[in-house]
Every structure is written in structure tokens, then in C-alpha cells.
Amino acid sequence: MRIYTSQVKPEMNDSEVELAGWVHETRDHGKIRFLILRDKKGLVQVIGKKGIVGDDVFNLLSLPKETVISLRGKVKSSPQAPRGVEIIPSEIKILNRVTIQLPVDPTSHVEADLDVRLDNRHIDLRTKRVQAIFQIQSTILRAFREKLTSLDFEEIIPPSLIAAASEGGADVFPVIYFDKEAFLSQSPQLYKQLAVIGGMERVFMTPQYFRAEKHNTTAHLNEITGMDAEIGFADHHLAMSILSETFLHILSSVKERNADDLAELKVELNVPKKLNIYTYTEAVDMLNKHGMKFEWGTDFGRDEERKLFEIIGEEAYIISEYPTAVRAFYSMPNENDPKISNSYDLMYQGVEMSSGAQRIHIPELLEKQIRAKGMNPANFGFYLNAFKSGAPPHAGFGMGLQRVTMAITRQKNIRECTLFPRDMHRLTP
Ligand code: AMO
């Protein structure tokens, strides 16, 4: 039975093992040849002396890099070998050959441009650094699911094809859907609310969002993976506390489970005890006190976000109560001052990770806000009707998986944290 390279230990001296993987590197010292075998779990050294191993096996120890092989051999504990162990092969089989010049070097000795790497993601993924990013991403998703499941949330699957823009605006991709107008989903917003109204009360999901924004930045994609939640019988205070708890669980899970990956990426991850909440108005005051001329009522851009990160000096925090005018139509205006909304953004490393709000559950107010944003209530028929059929107060949030991965792994470009990124210029592979 095949085992992983990481399972080969010095204590297994003299036992027979079966391994499989890629030829990572080879070294030829005349009468001695070394082959480093790589699999999902790491590397192991295979060593053959001429005359001691069979001639056919000796010849195969200098196979070209990235050839896919399986082998049988004896474990030898050897203090000079990496991890103190190596394999003396008795049989090597070629499972597949490399027949092209590889454009990316999986040993990372030769650096390649991001574009070349993304064009050849299946080879790029063989490097330790890239693997570390996606191991961490997998933990982020798992931690998100774990925390919400533990808080009695159920996982749902919203549709990806929609008839009306869920976030408003023109940033939608039209699709040909038989004889009707349809779009790729911008977010699961309307559907997660319908699930709560339907009595599921607490739901989460990890859908793809499609945004037709013509951004060409290092923090924007056109296809994003959301980590979304919606909570019935909740206001913004409860939603912010669940969001904080979820985000902190993500950080502590990565710190605990991905120590090797963080070390590979040279990241020292801190897990704050709690996230402080600052209101938008307090944040505007901070900016103006620190020399920026910022007018109350508009949304923060990258410059303001960076400055606030510097002023506040905390790795993660929440900004709440944004002006109603800058938030999506479904955000609940504050009872005492309708100019501000019961909304919030979670910031980490000075970048927005998540945004959310208490939702409007009063149909008349919702219709008024849809009109106020220049949209046609007729396009939201099924959604508006739902609020006339017994809709509890509710709140929720959406978090971008690639943004969170980017911030935790300290990457400068979100494409590094997207297996197959979709941006204005990239639709393949
Ligand atoms: P929003 O539009 O803020 O909110 O999206 C939620 C989170 O998704 C990520 N994100 C992006 N990541 C990369 N590229 C993009 N172009 C991009 N756009 C968004 C961010 C952001 O915080 N329905 C609401 C959420 C809610 O209220 O529940 C929504 O979609 O991390």
C-alpha cells in the first residue's frame, strides 16, 4: 500500500515501503545517484549506488524533473539525509513522462512572473509557498463552517443565476437564459434573507459572487467566493458579535492548524482577544484630526482605510453605522437617525474583509429604499412579497474568502490567493 513521504520515519529502518509522486530533483555523483521524491506531504531522498541497486533502477534515478513515478524500496535511517531517513529503491515505475519544457519551476529556484504562474497554475501549485496559501484557505473555509455550525446555523445553497441585481447597480454579468434576461449572482443576499424569512432562522453559505466591476486592482476579482451568514431575530449588535467570533475563530484555527504553512510564508499571526467597534462618525473625526480633509457622508476609499489602520493601530476592528446613502438598499436605517444605517464592515490589516447590516424587514420602507437607489421595485416582486408574509427582523454579513486569505497570508495580490482567478483580463485556465 502506498504511503506518503512524511510517513517515512527513521524508526522504520529496513522496512519495505511503496511511495509515489513527482521527481523533484536529481543529483548524479557518478557511482551514487540521488532522487528527491515529492508528494502532497513533502519530500524524501531516494539513493542508489551503482552495483548495489539493479542497473535499470540506477538508470531511472536520473529521470527528468517532474516525471511521475511510483517506487518500492527499503527505509534506511541515515543521520546525513534530510529528516534522517532515505530510501534504497528496489523498483521504480514511470507513471507518466514530462514531454514539454516546464514554464514554472516547482523547486522555486527560478522565479516566474505571476501571469506565467497563473497560466500554468497546475505546475505553480506544486511549489511549497503556493501550497501553503491554499492549505490556509482550506482551514479558513473549514473554520467558518465550524463556528457557524456550532452556533446552530444551517448550510444552504443559493442560486447562481438571478433575475435582478441583488446588490443594485450595473455591475452584473448578463447571461443568455432561454428567452429571458438573467444575470450571474452578485451575492446570495436576497436568497439568504428568504431562507431566514422561511423559518430557517440561521443560515450560512459559501457561494460564488460575480461582480462586473471594471476594477483592475490587486484587491479585486470579478469572481469571488463568499462566506455569508444571515441571522433571524437579530439586530446589528448580535450580527457584529457573531461576525467577530467567526473571524477570530478563523484566525485562531489557522494559527493552530497551519503552523508549518505560516512559517513557509514567514507570517507571524496574532489573534486579538476581541474586535473593537468604532462608528463611521468617530472614524471621520479621527481622519480629520489627523490631517485628512474628509467630509461626512461619502464612503471611505483605500487612502482613508490605510490612514485609519495607522491611526487606530489595531490589526482588526469593525467600523459601524455608515451613512444610509452609501450602503446597499436593504440596509436598515437607524431608528433614531435615519441618515445612518445599522451597518458595519470588518477591517483586518487595514483592508475590508466583510460587510453587513441589519436588514429592512418593513416592506414599505424597503420599497422606498429601492426607489431611492433608482431601481424598479417591479424587478424585486418575489423579494418584496416575502416581507408581507411574516418576515422577522434579521441581520447578516458577507466575507470574501480570497480577501481573508490574502490578508492572513500577507500576500500583496489577491490573485495569489485565488486558485483560478477571474479578472478583467483572465478567463483561462
Ligand atoms: P460586499 O459587496 O461588501 O457585501 O461583499 C462582501 C465581501 O466580499 C468581498 N468582496 C470582494 N473581494 C474581491 N473582489 C471584489 N470585487 C469583491 N467584492 C466584494 C469583500 C467584501 O467585504 N450582500 C453583502 C453582504 C451582506 O450584507 O451580507 C455584500 O455582498 O471581502
Side-chain angles (χ1 to χ4, degrees):
M1 202 185 58
R2 178 196 170 206
I3 61 168
Y4 285 125
T5 52
S6 59
Q7 291 171 293
V8 178
K9 300 272 159 63
E11 306 84 82
M12 293 159 69
N13 196 30
D14 271 346
S15 49
E16 283 281 333
V17 289
E18 259 181 66
L19 298 165
W22 289 261
V23 175
H24 188 62
E25 279 188 288
T26 54
R27 287 197 310 277
D28 188 344
H29 294 285
K31 292 210 159 69
I32 297 190
R33 284 181 178 172
F34 295 93
L35 179 154
I36 310 296
L37 181 76
R38 186 188 72 241
D39 64 12
K40 172 189 164 83
K41 300 282 186 175
L43 306 171
V44 74
Q45 177 165 292
V46 182
I47 176 172
K49 284 193 187 133
K50 197 168 173 64
I52 304 258
V53 297
D55 281 353
D56 50 339
V57 170
F58 187 76
N59 290 339
L60 291 174
L61 285 173
S62 54
L63 278 167
K65 279 187 189 184
E66 298 308 303
T67 306
V68 186
I69 59 171
S70 65
L71 64 84
R72 273 174 192 283
K74 237 187 203 152
V75 177
K76 270 275 159 272
S77 88
S78 159
Q80 312 90 289
R83 295 196 294 115
V85 70
E86 57 194 10
I87 308 286
I88 316 277
S90 52
E91 184 189 333
I92 297 181
K93 274 194 198 144
I94 297 176
L95 302 181
N96 217 340
R97 290 182 189 275
V98 173
T99 53
I100 56 163
Q101 174 85 27
L102 295 181
V104 177
D105 174 15
T107 57
S108 300
H109 293 328
V110 186
E111 286 284 322
D113 278 354
L114 181 59
D115 266 328
V116 175
R117 290 175 37 216
L118 292 177
D119 284 342
N120 297 280
R121 196 53 140 166
H122 60 290
I123 308 173
D124 183 48
L125 255 177
R126 294 178 195 169
T127 59
K128 256 187 120 179
R129 198 185 70 81
V130 177
Q131 275 175 18
I133 293 173
F134 291 101
Q135 301 275 10
I136 289 173
Q137 185 163 85
S138 174
T139 301
I140 295 170
L141 270 171
R142 204 168 108 203
F144 172 77
R145 287 202 164 92
E146 270 167 11
K147 175 48 79 182
L148 292 178
T149 305
S150 78
L151 295 174
D152 211 23
F153 281 69
E154 282 168 72
E155 182 160 4
I156 60 164
I157 301 170
S160 302
L161 287 165
I162 55 169
S166 56
E167 299 298 316
D171 297 333
V172 280
F173 289 110
V175 290
I176 301 160
Y177 192 72
F178 303 110
D179 55 350
K180 291 192 182 62
E181 183 176 51
F183 307 101
L184 290 178
S185 169
Q186 278 176 307
S187 84
Q189 186 61 39
L190 312 186
Y191 297 94
K192 60 181 181 173
Q193 292 187 253
L194 292 186
V196 169
I197 295 170
M200 293 185 86
E201 293 200 23
R202 290 184 160 209
V203 293
F204 74 86
M205 64 228 74
T206 61
Q208 297 299 92
Y209 303 171
F210 301 90
R211 304 270 167 107
E213 300 156 357
K214 288 198 170 145
H215 279 135
N216 197 9
T217 79
T218 51
H220 286 90
L221 296 164
N222 294 105
E223 180 176 0
I224 304 129
T225 309
M227 295 187 281
D228 273 64
E230 200 66 22
I231 315 149
F233 300 96
D235 62 6
H236 51 307
H237 299 295
L238 178 58
M240 282 191 279
S241 109
I242 292 179
L243 171 60
S244 292
E245 217 184 305
T246 306
F247 189 71
L248 292 176
H249 180 65
I250 289 176
L251 289 184
S252 58
S253 303
V254 171
K255 189 172 171 76
E256 194 181 303
R257 296 173 202 161
N258 296 88
D260 290 351
D261 300 313
L262 291 169
E264 173 67 31
L265 297 165
K266 302 187 177 57
V267 173
E268 208 169 298
L269 195 65
N270 301 312
V271 184
K273 292 229 158 21
K274 67 184 265 276
L275 305 190
N276 289 325
I277 301 172
Y278 303 93
T279 66
Y280 167 88
T281 305
E282 284 169 344
V284 171
D285 288 347
M286 288 185 219
L287 290 174
N288 286 319
K289 253 193 218 126
H290 286 80
M292 269 191 143
K293 285 204 167 57
F294 189 83
E295 214 170 302
W296 196 100
T298 47
D299 207 354
F300 299 136
R302 267 314 283 146
D303 287 347
E304 289 80 22
E305 286 177 350
R306 274 199 205 102
K307 187 75 185 170
L308 282 170
F309 181 46
E310 193 187 304
I311 301 170
I312 294 174
E314 291 162 15
E315 270 194 286
Y317 45 84
I318 290 177
I319 308 272
S320 71
E321 299 184 8
Y322 284 82
T324 307
V326 304
R327 300 300 283 206
F329 67 90
Y330 47 75
S331 311
M332 180 66 107
N334 192 282
E335 233 181 1
N336 303 318
D337 180 2
K339 279 201 306 306
I340 61 171
S341 57
N342 293 344
S343 58
Y344 36 85
D345 281 0
L346 189 154
M347 310 296 294
Y348 176 60
Q349 303 287 329
V351 181
E352 179 196 313
M353 299 289 112
S354 172
S355 109
Q358 182 187 357
R359 322 300 187 185
I360 299 174
H361 61 283
I362 316 290
E364 299 74 28
L365 181 55
L366 191 55
E367 194 168 330
K368 187 177 143 208
Q369 293 300 84
I370 290 176
R371 282 188 207 286
K373 296 275 180 193
M375 294 183 292
N376 182 0
N379 290 338
F380 292 87
F382 72 91
Y383 179 65
L384 279 167
N385 262 334
F387 291 87
K388 298 174 186 157
S389 58
H394 57 286
F397 58 84
M399 196 158 19
L401 174 66
Q402 292 79 10
R403 283 264 178 97
V404 174
T405 313
M406 179 186 175
I408 289 181
T409 60
R410 314 291 198 250
Q411 298 301 298
K412 292 202 168 61
N413 194 325
I414 196 164
R415 290 160 186 80
E416 293 277 4
C417 305
T418 314
L419 199 50
F420 297 106
R422 295 291 177 254
D423 62 27
M424 279 176 70
H425 308 292
R426 183 172 287 283
L427 195 55
T428 56

